[in-house]
Amino acid sequence: MTNKKMIVALAAVALILVGLVVPAAAVQLKFHGDMNHRFMLGTNHNEFFNAAGDNRVNSIDDGSAYDNFAEIKYRFWFEAVSDDSDYKGVFATEIGGLRFGESKKMGYSGDQINMEVRWGYFDFQLPFAEQKSRVRMGLQPININSFLWQETVGGVKLYGAAGSFDYQLGWLRGYEADVTGDQDADLRNDHDAFYGRLDFKPQEGLNVGLLALWQWNNIDDYDPASGNDYTLSVADWEFKKLSDKEIDVNLVTLGVDGAFKSGDFFAKWDLMYQTGSMDNMEFIDLDGVTNAVDDYDVSAYFLHADLGMKMGKSTLTYTFWYTSGDDDSTDDDLEAFMATDIDRMDDVIITEGGFADDNYFTERHYILDKGFIMNKLAYDYQATEKLKLGVAALYMMTAEDLEYTAANGSLVKEDEIGLEFMGYFKYKLFKNVEWAVNGGFLAAGDAMDYFERDVIQDGNSDEDIWRADMRIRYKF
C-alpha cells in the first residue's frame, strides 16, 4: 500500500471512530421495534381478500375457496435525539407481509426481499421560537384525520403550540410525475397538498380540532391521441390512485373532529365536507362503461360518531358513520367522498380489521363510489390485567345503490352489504408481548352479489363469508 493510500485509509478510520464517539456525547441513540407474526387461521373465501381494493378482481366464488397462511411484518426504527431534545433524526425500516413459503419472498433458504424504508426524517425546534415550534422534513407519518389521510408521505411540516392551541401546517407531495425538460410541463401532474390543523381544549374533557386540506395537480389539456390515461374507475375511488393519470384535480376538504369525556361517558366525532373539481376525466361506472370526457364538480361529505359508556371492567360503544356516495354516474356531479391514503380496521370482513391485515378487501371506509353507512355495537371486557375480550355486531349498507347489469341481463339496484358478527381476545404473554385472536362472519346482503362471479350474478347474495386470524406481537 502506498503512503497516499495508507493516509486515506487511516483518515477514513479516524472519521469512523470520531463518528462513533463524538455523537455519543451529543445525542441519545434509541432503538424501537414492532415484530408482528400474523396467521390467517382460515377463511371460506380467500379470493375476496386479495388487497386490490373494491374491485371485481375481489370476486366471490360459488362455493368455498379455503386457505390459511402465516407471515411476518417487522418494523425497526432508530432515533438520534440531542441531549436537549432540540433536534432528532429518525430512520425506520419495514419487512412487510412475508409469508412462510411464499415464492421469491420467504421460500427455501430464507428471505429474498430487501427491507423498505418506512420513515426517514429530521425534526428540530426553531431556535428563535419562544414556545414549542418545530419543523419536520422527510418521509414521515401524517395524521390529518383517520378517515381522510393517515399514512406515510414525503413532506415538510411546521407544528407546535401557541397558548392553548396546537397547530400543524404542512406541504406534502404524494406523487412526483416523471416529466423533465418540457417547457409546458411545469409541475405537471405532481400531486401536491397543503394542510392545516388547529386543536384546542375549550374545557376539561373536551377536545376540538379544525382541519383544511387542499390537493391539486396541474393538467390543463386533454389529448386522446397522446396515449395518456384520463380514466377514473369506481374501483379506484381514492386520491392516491390518481397517480400517473392525466386528470386535472382540485380538491378541498374542510372538517371538524373531536372528543368528549365526562365521567364514564365518552364521545368522538368527525365531520368533513369536500368540494372542488375533476376535469378532463373519463369516468368508468359499475358496469365498466366509460363515459365521454367531462369536467366534474365535487360535492361530498362524511360524518362519524362514537358514543360509549364504561361500566367497571366493561365498555359499550355505538358507532355510526355516513360516507356520501354518487347516485348518478352519467351526470357531471360527483357526490362520493374520497379518502387519500388510510387504513381503516373497523371490522374483519370488509375493512382491514383482520390481524393478518395485509390481506383485505378494502382499506377505505366506503365501497367503490357508493359511500357507506355503518351501524356498529361493540362490547369490550377487561377480564384481567392481562386478558381483554370483545364482541360486536355491525349492520352495513352503501349510501347509494349498487346499480349494475347482472349476468342474467337484469338491472340490479341493491344497497345492503349485510350483518357481521365479530369477536376477539387479547392476552399479554409478557410485558411487551401480546397474543391475540379475532374473527368475523358476514351474513351477506344482496349488494354483495355485485362482487360475485358473473356466472352466478343474479341480484341475490349467494355466499356468506367468514374469517379468523391470530397474531403474536412483540413491541419495544
Side-chain angles (χ1 to χ4, degrees):
M1 178 183 291
T2 65
N3 289 337
K4 185 176 181 180
K5 290 183 178 179
M6 184 176 295
I7 291 172
V8 171
L10 290 174
V13 171
L15 286 172
I16 293 172
L17 291 175
V18 169
L20 291 174
V21 175
V22 173
V27 301
Q28 303 173 35
L29 299 178
K30 301 178 181 180
F31 177 60
H32 306 277
D34 181 352
M35 304 176 71
N36 199 354
H37 311 82
R38 297 104 65 87
F39 303 82
M40 179 185 274
L41 300 177
T43 176
N44 65 329
H45 281 290
N46 189 58
E47 76 283 5
F48 185 68
F49 304 105
N50 65 10
D54 291 16
N55 197 309
R56 284 197 185 217
V57 175
N58 292 322
S59 299
I60 302 172
D61 278 322
D62 185 11
S64 295
Y66 177 82
D67 198 9
N68 57 45
F69 62 81
E71 65 182 6
I72 63 172
K73 189 170 188 176
Y74 288 178
R75 290 174 177 172
F76 300 106
W77 61 100
F78 303 85
E79 295 183 10
V81 186
S82 66
D83 288 338
D84 53 12
S85 298
D86 278 351
Y87 54 90
K88 67 177 179 179
V90 177
F91 180 74
T93 62
E94 177 177 312
I95 305 171
L98 298 183
R99 293 192 190 179
F100 295 9
E102 190 171 1
S103 176
K104 297 182 180 179
K105 289 189 177 181
M106 199 177 177
Y108 291 108
S109 301
D111 169 36
Q112 302 165 39
I113 298 294
N114 293 325
M115 291 184 179
E116 63 181 83
V117 176
R118 176 66 178 172
W119 305 325
Y121 62 86
F122 180 56
D123 186 300
F124 62 95
Q125 169 72 27
L126 291 179
F128 52 79
E130 294 183 2
Q131 291 184 302
K132 175 187 173 184
S133 187
R134 303 182 68 93
V135 173
R136 180 177 293 179
M137 58 182 66
L139 183 63
Q140 59 186 285
I142 290 293
N143 184 6
I144 300 174
N145 181 282
S146 64
F147 290 95
L148 178 63
W149 194 351
Q150 183 179 8
E151 250 296 350
T152 298
V153 68
V156 180
K157 178 176 71 174
L158 171 69
Y159 70 103
S164 59
F165 295 90
D166 293 331
Y167 64 86
Q168 298 180 44
L169 294 171
W171 163 69
L172 310 173
R173 176 164 287 179
Y175 175 73
E176 172 87 11
D178 186 19
V179 177
T180 57
D182 185 344
Q183 65 180 356
D184 297 321
D186 184 30
L187 296 179
R188 181 181 177 87
N189 209 20
D190 295 336
H191 283 195
D192 288 305
F194 286 130
Y195 86 95
R197 270 199 68 96
L198 189 64
D199 295 277
F200 58 100
K201 192 173 184 179
Q203 65 182 57
E204 186 65 29
L206 175 61
N207 298 282
V208 179
L210 304 175
L211 66 94
L213 172 65
W214 175 32
Q215 299 168 279
W216 76 95
N217 58 2
N218 294 318
I219 301 294
D220 298 321
D221 61 339
Y222 172 79
D223 181 9
S226 66
N228 293 329
D229 187 358
Y230 299 97
T231 63
L232 178 61
S233 166
V234 294
D236 294 329
W237 202 257
E238 194 172 20
F239 196 88
K240 71 178 182 180
K241 294 196 174 184
L242 295 172
S243 300
D244 208 26
K245 294 181 180 292
E246 301 289 307
I247 300 171
D248 188 10
V249 178
N250 253 294
L251 192 64
V252 174
T253 306
L254 305 173
V256 56
D257 53 30
F260 175 73
K261 188 176 188 304
S262 177
D264 292 329
F265 173 79
F266 62 88
K268 297 179 181 179
W269 64 87
D270 303 89
L271 301 169
M272 288 182 283
Y273 175 72
Q274 280 184 342
T275 185
S277 62
M278 293 186 181
D279 297 337
N280 300 330
M281 186 170 76
E282 300 172 359
F283 186 69
I284 303 176
D285 66 19
L286 287 174
D287 275 330
V289 176
T290 301
N291 295 281
V293 63
D294 203 348
D295 294 341
Y296 293 85
D297 294 323
V298 177
S299 180
Y301 63 95
F302 169 77
L303 59 91
H304 156 260
D306 288 335
L307 302 174
M309 180 72 71
K310 289 186 64 67
M311 299 166 288
K313 293 184 177 181
S314 301
T315 303
L316 187 66
T317 308
Y318 169 69
T319 297
F320 171 83
W321 79 61
Y322 183 96
T323 309
S324 68
D326 193 61
D327 62 352
D328 187 351
S329 61
T330 63
D331 65 18
D332 57 5
D333 294 317
L334 298 176
E335 291 113 4
F337 188 89
M338 177 179 282
T340 296
D341 192 5
I342 59 174
D343 296 285
R344 294 304 312 177
M345 301 177 181
D346 303 275
D347 81 304
V348 172
I349 304 300
I350 301 298
T351 62
E352 295 181 75
F355 288 146
D357 57 19
D358 274 6
N359 211 52
Y360 57 85
F361 172 66
T362 180
E363 65 185 12
R364 304 162 239 179
H365 54 92
Y366 50 84
I367 290 181
L368 307 171
D369 68 331
K370 298 307 175 187
F372 206 70
I373 300 175
M374 167 72 83
N375 283 280
K376 177 181 178 180
L377 188 63
Y379 174 76
D380 301 280
Y381 180 63
Q382 189 73 51
T384 68
E385 184 179 349
K386 293 185 176 182
L387 177 63
K388 187 175 183 179
L389 311 167
V391 293
L394 308 86
Y395 182 65
M396 299 172 287
M397 305 170 61
T398 54
E400 302 294 340
D401 288 341
L402 287 169
E403 184 175 340
Y404 61 97
T405 304
N408 62 8
S410 62
L411 181 64
V412 178
K413 295 182 180 181
E414 295 290 346
D415 62 3
E416 186 181 25
I417 298 301
L419 181 62
E420 181 176 345
F421 301 95
M422 51 185 283
Y424 73 89
F425 75 80
K426 298 178 181 179
Y427 184 77
K428 288 286 186 182
L429 296 173
F430 306 99
K431 180 180 179 181
N432 298 319
V433 181
E434 178 190 78
W435 170 41
V437 176
N438 75 350
F441 172 83
L442 176 68
D446 285 339
M448 292 297 290
D449 175 72
Y450 175 76
F451 299 102
E452 295 178 358
R453 301 287 187 189
D454 286 346
V455 293
I456 57 173
Q457 267 190 350
D458 57 7
N460 299 306
S461 174
D462 297 294
E463 294 292 324
D464 298 328
I465 303 173
W466 66 266
R467 170 178 175 164
D469 291 64
M470 181 181 78
R471 73 181 178 205
I472 297 179
R473 191 173 195 178
Y474 173 37
K475 299 177 71 174
F476 60 91

